[in-house]
Amino acid sequence: MHSRDSRRLVLQRLASLLAVPLFAPACSRSPSPEGDGRSSGPSPSPSSAPSPSPQGSAPAAPAQGAPTAKVKLALNWVPEPEFGGFYAARESGAFTKEGLEVEILGGGAGVPVVQMVAGGQVDFGLSGADEVLTARARGADVLPLFAVFQTSPQAIMTHESRGAKGIADILASGGTLAIEPGLPYAAYLKKKYGFNKVKVVPYDGGVARFVADKGFSQQCFITAEPIAAKRKGSDPAAFLVASEGFNPYVVVVITRAALWKENPERVRAFVRATREGWRTYLHDPTRANEVMAKLNTAMDAETFVAAAEAQRSLIETPETKEKGLGVMTRERWETLAKQLVDLGVLEKMPPIDDLLAAAL
């Protein structure tokens, strides 16, 4: 059930960005992974069958004499700032320094990243923490390694003129709420506050109805739709669902358990390079944004800058400053698992220590 819900969320974000030229990066979403501009097809790796020879320029070679391992990273969306650190790791040479040649595969609507990782088609992939838990409950032997977003960007957007101070005010003040009730965070909000005072309608993905109707509120990603609505002359005020107590890690790097067991140093090397790449991107996203802009020509430079800035505080937190970017805690995973059990998404609590066997 959750896998379908996750793909539905992908389609919703796609529709949202399709409806707003500013966010047309999602227009380039496709039903299958796209190349990252460095090759037109997947490059050979220990985990996949041979494929056609790459075209275009190749990633920088490692230092002379250093062994090189070719690996694949599957994104769960098209190139945009939420993946900036991975492109920064490649462009800055962080992957090369660790002896890795990384092919980044662009995501698309319906691309089953978790299944691709579990099945060995790619070495690493990106997912949400709630999807990782539900996938493992279905038998997918994947492990989380690194959590980019410490604070989930999922939010509820309303009009500033309504004077709401939080999600509770939005749900208590009437009007219309566009939300997909099957998603875990929507179910969490419904259980916590109830939706009986608002008229719930399907989320259509766009911001046109929001801009036209002062009584209209909707689900959103705080790094996307609010920026789009503001540029259309509206007055968006967005409130994070994380502030209500439901805060899964987002853009979580995962690998298959077999790779961790067979080659833990390769996994560690990927995580080290990823952490360095995100440090680079947070310090200066310019170069990575330029690279992603060539792959995602529908997103303009101003939007890349705005989105990169909007997500900064969700990635870099007091905890990451103390423990390092990408940090994951047992407590956070355990809390999320209990919430998913409470919502009926999971039947029982998973063994958290097994889940975090490769957490670095």
Side-chain angles (χ1 to χ4, degrees):
M1 178 186 76
H2 181 71
S3 178
R4 291 195 299 271
D5 291 340
S6 296
R7 286 197 289 272
R8 188 182 301 119
L9 176 57
V10 170
L11 286 166
Q12 290 160 0
R13 290 188 63 199
L14 171 62
S16 170
L17 304 184
L18 276 169
V20 184
L22 166 65
F23 276 87
C27 295
S28 58
R29 283 216 159 182
S30 65
S32 59
E34 299 173 347
D36 64 357
R38 297 302 181 97
S39 61
S40 59
S43 59
S45 79
S47 63
S48 63
S51 57
S53 299
Q55 299 176 5
S57 58
Q64 187 173 2
T68 301
K70 294 184 178 182
V71 301
K72 298 175 185 177
L73 168 66
L75 308 184
N76 56 356
W77 200 248
V78 296
E80 62 177 30
E82 68 184 84
F83 308 125
F86 302 103
Y87 286 94
R90 192 178 66 182
E91 297 307 310
S92 69
F95 283 135
T96 300
K97 185 172 66 175
E98 294 289 351
L100 300 173
E101 182 179 322
V102 179
E103 181 180 5
I104 303 175
L105 301 176
V111 175
V113 173
V114 174
Q115 292 91 324
M116 291 167 66
V117 173
Q121 290 119 318
V122 296
D123 305 277
F124 303 95
L126 302 178
S127 184
D130 48 353
E131 187 175 1
V132 172
L133 286 169
T134 54
R136 283 181 61 87
R138 295 193 303 270
D141 199 9
V142 294
L143 300 173
L145 305 171
F146 183 101
V148 175
F149 280 75
Q150 299 291 304
T151 303
S152 171
Q154 293 165 332
I156 302 297
M157 180 172 74
T158 192
H159 290 270
E160 187 175 4
S161 58
R162 296 181 68 183
K165 302 300 182 183
I167 293 176
D169 291 342
I170 297 172
L171 298 178
S173 61
T176 301
L177 174 65
I179 195 167
E180 173 52 63
L183 297 175
Y185 78 87
Y188 176 86
L189 291 176
K190 183 177 182 180
K191 184 169 184 176
K192 183 173 182 177
Y193 293 118
F195 289 170
N196 57 306
K197 294 185 179 180
V198 292
K199 178 184 177 182
V200 176
V201 299
Y203 173 61
D204 66 10
V207 296
R209 291 183 65 186
F210 178 86
V211 172
D213 184 353
K214 291 292 185 180
F216 193 89
S217 303
Q218 68 175 72
Q219 67 182 61
C220 71
F221 270 57
I222 204 165
T223 57
E225 288 93 340
I227 298 173
K230 188 171 183 179
R231 288 185 64 175
K232 282 183 170 288
S234 191
D235 63 335
F239 300 95
L240 289 167
V241 177
S243 299
E244 301 296 335
F246 189 79
N247 187 25
Y249 293 119
V250 176
V251 189
V252 178
V253 179
I254 59 174
T255 192
R256 65 188 184 283
L259 180 58
W260 167 246
K261 293 173 183 176
E262 295 164 5
N263 201 329
E265 181 49 38
R266 181 174 300 173
V267 175
R268 293 189 185 100
F270 187 88
V271 172
R272 287 194 299 267
T274 293
R275 183 170 287 117
E276 183 176 333
W278 274 104
R279 288 194 197 102
T280 298
Y281 188 77
L282 290 169
H283 176 70
D284 184 0
T286 305
R287 175 56 184 156
N289 280 351
E290 290 173 350
V291 171
M292 290 187 289
K294 292 178 181 178
L295 307 173
N296 186 1
T297 56
M299 178 182 270
D300 61 38
E302 185 177 350
T303 302
F304 266 104
V305 172
E309 185 57 33
Q311 71 185 20
R312 179 183 297 275
S313 64
L314 308 181
I315 296 170
E316 191 172 38
T317 66
E319 187 168 28
T320 66
K321 290 178 180 178
E322 177 186 352
K323 300 178 181 179
L325 293 169
V327 63
M328 301 183 299
T329 68
R330 189 184 193 283
E331 292 73 21
R332 285 277 300 274
W333 280 99
E334 187 173 49
T335 295
L336 176 61
K338 288 178 179 177
Q339 290 173 327
L340 294 178
V341 170
D342 187 49
L343 293 171
V345 176
L346 296 179
E347 291 184 1
K348 61 181 180 180
M349 278 290 294
I352 301 300
D353 290 337
D354 291 349
L355 172 76
L356 298 179
L360 304 173

